[in-house]
Amino acid sequence: MSPLDIQNHRFRTGWRGLASDEVNTFLAAVAEDYAALLQDLSACEGHVQKLETRIEELSLNESLLKETL
């Protein structure tokens, strides 16, 4: 589910209906928070990838050092 899906979601109304302003305000807040979380997740995934690459480089260096010694 994307932030846009949350923002565009519409609720059915019952006998007494919904307070549409409240629902729309809530959905906008949830969508904004969800979008921020997705951005954080993306940034973290990029950081993890860089760290994994660095670990591989250091492991190779460690192997070379062990062979040299």
Side-chain angles (χ1 to χ4, degrees):
M1 184 181 298
S2 72
L4 191 58
D5 292 334
I6 294 169
Q7 281 183 316
N8 291 332
H9 184 80
R10 297 293 173 244
F11 294 93
R12 289 180 285 150
T13 55
W15 180 67
R16 298 183 72 187
L18 296 171
S20 62
D21 291 342
E22 258 183 67
V23 172
N24 291 334
T25 301
F26 176 77
L27 287 176
V30 169
E32 185 178 318
D33 288 349
Y34 188 64
L37 287 173
L38 288 177
Q39 285 179 332
D40 288 347
L41 178 62
S42 179
C44 288
E45 287 173 342
H47 189 65
V48 166
Q49 183 63 34
K50 288 178 185 177
L51 292 173
E52 287 175 344
T53 301
R54 183 69 176 138
I55 289 171
E56 288 178 25
E57 292 171 359
L58 292 173
S59 292
L60 289 173
N61 289 344
E62 181 184 23
S63 297
L64 289 173
L65 284 172
K66 284 182 180 179
E67 289 177 16
T68 303
L69 295 175

